[in-house]
Amino acid sequence: MEILFTFVPKEDQQQRLKTEFPKIEFYFLYKDKTRLASADVIVTYGEDLTAEDIAAAKNVQWIMVASAGIEKLPHQAIKNRDITVSNVKGIHKIPMAESVLAHLLSLERSLPSIYQNQRNQDWNRRVGSVELKDSTALILGPGAIGSEIGRLLQAFGVKTIGCNRSGTQAPHMDEMISFEAILEKLSQADYVISILPSTTETKYLLKEEHFKAMKKTAIFMNFGRGDLVADAVLLNALQKEEIASAVLDVFEQEPLPEDHLYWTMDNVVVSPHISSKSSKYVERTLDIFIPNLKKWLVNRTVPTNLVDMEKGY
Amino acid sequence: MEILFTFVPKEDQQQRLKTEFPKIEFYFLYKDKTRLASADVIVTYGEDLTAEDIAAAKNVQWIMVASAGIEKLPHQAIKNRDITVSNVKGIHKIPMAESVLAHLLSLERSLPSIYQNQRNQDWNRRVGSVELKDSTALILGPGAIGSEIGRLLQAFGVKTIGCNRSGTQAPHMDEMISFEAILEKLSQADYVISILPSTTETKYLLKEEHFKAMKKTAIFMNFGRGDLVADAVLLNALQKEEIASAVLDVFEQEPLPEDHLYWTMDNVVVSPHISSKSSKYVERTLDIFIPNLKKWLVNRTVPTNLVDMEKGY
């Protein structure tokens, strides 16, 4: 049996796999598709496989995506072959929640000004720091990651309003609403934080009217997928100062084009889709992959983190 | 009765005082000492009164300091006259704890690099983000502020070790040690966070040996008072990379001298003593001052936030 990783884990992580599965041939090949044809299992970050690759990988029965989003996979090709797909949902929650809190606290406690004043060697005490405490956050997509963000926000004394398709209760949310109720709730939110995946229902969910309904002091944070809002809509809201600022980890087009206005806007933070980065990332990927592979060897099933290619998550 | 504020609260805050105490004459005078001689009570940030001022303020019986530290007051002159001194201990805990978490999360989640890369319009995903989770923090001075920092760190899954004079238990600390045990504990700490006041016991408490004992990856955060460690000692530790970085909100000399090395060091964050800044600061000062003034008018006592000028806090 052959397993192809399209990225290269650290030496000790490779060794961990080889020790656990001495009979399996592992290949760790970045941007090198020479082993596609013989791979039985492919482990990928999910953005390097085309429909042609799937055709070439004629033996593959399971694709493990070391990412939460699977929208860049060639869906039709995978469905036609009935290939099992699994992801690493859950491992992003700690680093992503920490990143969201980092960005939020940084803006509210004036860190960009503090850093800027230091570069200017300017002992400048006139900063407009405010507090998270007693504010309100609207969390779009209170799943594993969103609930962890909610838990941390609540520790800071922030009221959390969760928002999902149906409005069914999610952990660490003081209140829940459905997608239909977003518009009327926005005026209460100091922070609007999205961790929504890209699905037919979330694509361009936020429109001009939503940004008009937000507080002028609101911070919009998109840590889900870039197609939640059209660039033109968000740019317009930021330029007209309908909201105070945006922190964006995801974009309609990634990498963000070199000439994009976001790069130079004072009220935009551009984070190049790295909020889930962590020194523990690959380790945790293996923590999910290894038990699943053991199960796979027994009966060709993947017990955890299965992806429904129809639903898209 | 005359009350002199040596700073100028907002109009609505001044009105709040006048409405509560219609018979009292309030003066709100920044850098203007013309009403010193007739003031019965002085409300100050604590850094603008000299021994001569105390002599001139011959009626003053109570000085309310809108700050936690009182080390810049002319102690001897105040003790000689037996003037009551109170502070606003407690109101710093929310903004300061949020600032400490902001700085810590910012460094660990690579925000300085993210901001820098944005300025360079560089879609650079190679950042070494790590997590707070499962790290260990040593908190020097787990009083009101330190315990609040501990509470938030625990929410992030950080182990908290509190350190005070006697080692007696403080809230939100997984473990407690006394000052004597600092040195042996430092090797366990990923973060060393001080919110210690300046007293005879804390002055230059941290010496060369302490920084040598810290992890090379440690972040040292001083949010207490600048004389906890001599500049030369900290500079040396940072230059020799005995620790990874320092976040300093307080300094031996404030303002930090223009030619000081800290300004331009990559592994130092200079925050100009603003971590307790908050849009709610003066409001909360009045929340403490008003009930105390009511009591004062009855029997010349200040029920809360009394300062012991001998102990220094």
Side-chain angles (χ1 to χ4, degrees), chain B residues 5-209:
Chain B
F5 278 65
T6 65
F7 58 93
V8 184
K10 285 186 192 152
E11 196 56 51
D12 60 325
Q13 292 162 338
Q14 294 185 19
Q15 201 49 55
R16 180 178 167 197
L17 286 163
K18 289 173 185 166
T19 307
E20 285 272 9
F21 306 101
K23 291 179 186 163
I24 292 180
E25 283 181 69
F26 287 98
Y27 292 92
F28 307 103
L29 300 170
Y30 177 63
K31 289 191 176 178
D32 171 349
K33 297 184 168 173
T34 52
R35 304 301 308 186
L36 263 183
S38 51
D40 300 290
V41 176
I42 298 175
V43 184
T44 164
Y45 282 126
E47 40 191 32
D48 55 358
L49 292 179
T50 63
E52 294 69 46
D53 291 333
I54 301 300
K58 58 186 191 309
N59 293 345
V60 74
Q61 290 186 283
W62 172 23
I63 297 171
M64 153 99 174
V65 183
S67 161
I70 51 140
E71 70 275 9
K72 288 181 184 160
L73 288 181
H75 281 226
Q76 203 51 55
I78 288 169
K79 279 193 280 188
N80 290 348
R81 286 262 302 279
D82 208 20
I83 295 168
T84 297
V85 175
S86 72
N87 66 8
V88 289
K89 196 174 145 179
I91 76 165
H92 303 79
K93 87 175 185 177
I94 301 297
M96 283 192 66
E98 290 193 6
S99 278
V100 167
L101 268 290
H103 280 286
L104 196 53
L105 282 161
S106 175
L107 293 186
E108 296 298 60
R109 302 307 298 156
S110 309
L111 267 56
S113 300
I114 290 172
Y115 296 155
Q116 175 69 45
N117 290 335
Q118 179 173 355
R119 279 194 301 278
N120 297 338
Q121 305 191 34
D122 177 12
W123 180 271
N124 184 342
R125 304 189 70 230
R126 295 181 303 281
V127 294
S129 299
V130 298
E131 299 172 12
L132 261 61
K133 189 172 164 63
D134 295 329
S135 62
T136 297
L138 178 62
I139 296 165
L140 307 178
I145 300 163
S147 298
E148 176 66 5
I149 293 167
R151 189 183 68 79
L152 292 173
L153 287 173
Q154 285 183 330
F156 282 87
V158 178
K159 180 185 172 184
T160 56
I161 304 172
C163 177
N164 54 25
R165 209 163 28 171
S166 56
T168 46
Q169 188 58 45
H172 306 297
M173 297 297 139
D174 293 316
E175 191 183 328
M176 282 297 304
I177 61 168
S178 68
F179 282 170
E180 285 71 44
I182 294 179
L183 193 59
E184 63 197 76
K185 211 70 186 177
L186 282 169
S187 66
Q188 295 177 28
D190 299 291
Y191 314 125
V192 179
I193 305 168
S194 174
I195 355 67
L196 286 169
S198 174
T199 69
T200 48
E201 282 166 303
T202 63
K203 219 166 171 173
Y204 304 116
L205 180 70
L206 295 188
K207 302 185 170 50
E208 212 168 297
E209 56 187 3

Side-chain angles (χ1 to χ4, degrees), chain A residues 156-199:
Chain A
F156 281 88
V158 177
K159 180 185 172 184
T160 54
I161 305 172
C163 176
N164 55 23
R165 210 164 29 172
S166 56
T168 46
Q169 189 58 47
H172 306 297
M173 297 296 141
D174 294 315
E175 193 184 326
M176 282 297 304
I177 60 169
S178 68
F179 282 172
E180 285 72 42
I182 293 179
L183 193 58
E184 63 197 75
K185 212 69 188 179
L186 283 170
S187 66
Q188 294 176 28
D190 299 291
Y191 314 124
V192 179
I193 304 167
S194 175
I195 356 68
L196 286 168
S198 175
T199 69

Side-chain angles (χ1 to χ4, degrees), chain A residues 20 63 68 73 106 129 137 143 154-155 191 231 242 247 256 259 269:
Chain A
E20 284 273 7
I63 297 172
L73 288 182
S106 175
S129 298
Q154 285 183 331
Y191 314 124
D231 259 11
E242 289 170 358
V247 182
L256 187 66
D259 58 352
V269 174

Side-chain angles (χ1 to χ4, degrees), chain A residues 98-99 106 109 115 118-119 125 129 131-133 151 155 263 268 270 272-273 275 277-279 284, chain B residues 98-99 106 109 115 118-119 125 129 131-133 151 155 263 268 270 272-273 275 277-279 284:
Chain A
E98 289 193 8
S99 277
S106 175
R109 303 305 299 157
Y115 295 154
Q118 179 173 354
R119 279 195 300 279
R125 305 189 69 230
S129 298
E131 299 171 12
L132 261 62
K133 189 174 164 60
R151 189 183 69 77
W263 285 115
V268 177
V270 174
H273 207 143
S275 66
K277 284 249 177 167
S278 164
S279 54
R284 290 203 186 117
Chain B
E98 290 193 6
S99 278
S106 175
R109 302 307 298 156
Y115 296 155
Q118 179 173 355
R119 279 194 301 278
R125 304 189 70 230
S129 299
E131 299 172 12
L132 261 61
K133 189 172 164 63
R151 189 183 68 79
W263 287 115
V268 177
V270 174
H273 206 146
S275 66
K277 284 249 177 169
S278 164
S279 54
R284 290 203 186 118

Side-chain angles (χ1 to χ4, degrees), chain A residues 212 214-219 240-245:
Chain A
K212 283 195 200 307
M214 290 183 202
K215 290 186 180 184
K216 287 212 180 307
T217 54
I219 298 176
K240 287 190 179 156
E241 297 181 2
E242 289 170 358
I243 61 172
S245 56

